[in-house]
Amino acid sequence: WALSFSPSSPPREIPEAVNLRLAEAAKFEGDPSAMVPVLHDAGGEDRVMSEELLRRVDFLIPNESELERLAASYPSLADDRGGDDAAAEISEAWHRRRRIQQRLGPSLDLESILRSVRILQRRGANHVLVTLGSRGSLLALKPPTPARPPRLVYQPALPLPPGRTALDETGAGDCYRAGFAVALLEHGHCRKGEGDGDGTEDATMLRRCMKFASAAGALAVTKRGAVPSIPSREEVEEFLSWVEGEGRDGIFDDGDENDPSEEVSSHGVAAPAA
């Protein structure tokens, strides 16, 4: 079968009530395979997103500053303050994620990002995909239970091919989100951790989606203007063939003990994801 609907990606400039109605319509009762995956661009107005809408969004896609602002907009709960339980979760997972922190560099703190993600997922958010500009993107899969930390998939920004330079970052984040939506539909949207409980099947599919999205975002910076910079499907696939041939995709999945890409690092000019 084929999904015939495009994912909803309502920007924050649209009234909350309209976004909620769109998300509700996408989750109509019936055949689960016919439900439309909902992606939410967290940019736009600085306002609280209702927990009701959070629960209906499959992928919340903020950049780093939007993630921090969204997390700070909710009233504090006891376990939001980094108490013993929260600290234990982060400490337990840290040793498996140190390579992600190394790739993020000293100017970005993985622990702070995870705390913000925790706040949103405690309030109903499902998967949170954070775009980090020239440092790539980070996907936090919703854990099967609140007591478990989210499984992370990290996609570094892709290096530009020889002869291409970054000219204009306008629209790069939008191209990333659009590329992710296209790949998500083609590969089949994930089930939010249902089934085997560890999200293995979903994570494998989502790694491919993130790489496709990163390629679209990277190509967008090589042209000036938001609309002229949107790459074609052919351009994205050609670029991905070059990246894979060079062995520079550099994806790291903290739930895959045998991930062959753990020791792969990206080189050259890093193209922003947002």
Side-chain angles (χ1 to χ4, degrees), residues 131-137 155 157 172-174 176-177 214 217-218 221 271-274:
T131 59
L132 301 168
S134 62
R135 292 175 178 82
S137 55
Q155 168 67 58
D174 293 328
Y176 179 98
R177 290 166 176 81
S214 295
V221 308

Side-chain angles (χ1 to χ4, degrees), residues 69-128:
R69 187 174 68 237
L70 273 174
S73 68
Y74 295 100
S76 296
L77 298 176
D79 57 359
D80 287 341
R81 298 182 177 275
D84 292 340
D85 291 341
E89 283 186 27
I90 292 173
S91 176
E92 179 182 354
W94 177 254
H95 71 283
R96 299 182 62 194
R97 300 175 179 177
R98 62 187 183 278
R99 284 180 291 273
I100 295 180
Q101 180 61 68
Q102 290 170 353
R103 296 184 184 189
L104 291 176
S107 62
L108 285 180
D109 181 29
L110 179 59
E111 181 175 332
S112 296
I113 293 173
L114 292 180
R115 288 188 188 280
S116 294
V117 167
R118 175 189 174 86
I119 289 172
L120 297 179
Q121 290 183 332
R122 286 274 177 165
R123 285 161 177 77
N126 292 295
H127 305 308
V128 182

Side-chain angles (χ1 to χ4, degrees), residues 183-205:
L184 191 68
L185 280 183
E186 293 183 349
H187 291 297
H189 74 284
C190 86
R191 304 180 306 279
K192 294 184 289 188
E194 298 175 1
D196 57 15
D198 64 1
T200 299
E201 181 181 346
D202 290 340
T204 300
M205 178 270 290

Side-chain angles (χ1 to χ4, degrees), residues 6-244:
S6 298
S8 307
S9 186
R12 296 289 288 152
E13 289 88 346
I14 298 175
E16 179 87 355
V18 175
N19 286 340
L20 183 57
R21 290 294 298 275
L22 286 171
E24 288 173 341
K27 302 303 176 188
F28 63 89
E29 294 183 2
D31 183 0
S33 66
M35 293 181 7
V36 180
V38 179
L39 284 67
H40 203 307
D41 181 346
E45 296 179 6
D46 184 5
R47 66 188 185 201
V48 177
M49 185 183 301
S50 70
E51 294 183 22
E52 187 176 9
L53 180 57
L54 276 179
R55 289 191 296 272
R56 286 174 168 77
V57 171
D58 296 294
F59 293 89
L60 183 64
I61 314 181
N63 60 31
E64 184 193 5
S65 61
E66 291 161 354
L67 173 69
E68 182 179 358
R69 187 174 68 237
L70 273 174
S73 68
Y74 295 100
S76 296
L77 298 176
D79 57 359
D80 287 341
R81 298 182 177 275
D84 292 340
D85 291 341
E89 283 186 27
I90 292 173
S91 176
E92 179 182 354
W94 177 254
H95 71 283
R96 299 182 62 194
R97 300 175 179 177
R98 62 187 183 278
R99 284 180 291 273
I100 295 180
Q101 180 61 68
Q102 290 170 353
R103 296 184 184 189
L104 291 176
S107 62
L108 285 180
D109 181 29
L110 179 59
E111 181 175 332
S112 296
I113 293 173
L114 292 180
R115 288 188 188 280
S116 294
V117 167
R118 175 189 174 86
I119 289 172
L120 297 179
Q121 290 183 332
R122 286 274 177 165
R123 285 161 177 77
N126 292 295
H127 305 308
V128 182
L129 176 55
V130 187
T131 59
L132 301 168
S134 62
R135 292 175 178 82
S137 55
L138 181 69
L139 173 63
L141 297 172
K142 183 171 185 178
T145 64
R148 292 176 58 181
R151 177 173 177 175
L152 302 182
V153 181
Y154 173 59
Q155 168 67 58
L158 296 176
L160 297 180
R164 305 290 287 272
T165 58
L167 299 176
D168 186 359
E169 297 181 10
T170 304
D174 293 328
C175 285
Y176 179 98
R177 290 166 176 81
F180 185 81
V182 168
L184 191 68
L185 280 183
E186 293 183 349
H187 291 297
H189 74 284
C190 86
R191 304 180 306 279
K192 294 184 289 188
E194 298 175 1
D196 57 15
D198 64 1
T200 299
E201 181 181 346
D202 290 340
T204 300
M205 178 270 290
L206 292 170
R207 280 187 284 181
R208 294 194 293 266
C209 295
M210 292 173 70
K211 185 161 63 173
F212 187 92
S214 295
L219 288 174
V221 308
T222 64
K223 298 179 182 178
R224 298 189 186 279
V227 175
S229 66
I230 299 174
S232 67
R233 177 59 178 263
E234 182 179 358
E235 289 176 315
V236 173
E237 291 181 343
E238 182 179 351
F239 178 49
L240 280 174
S241 295
W242 177 84
V243 169
E244 291 168 0

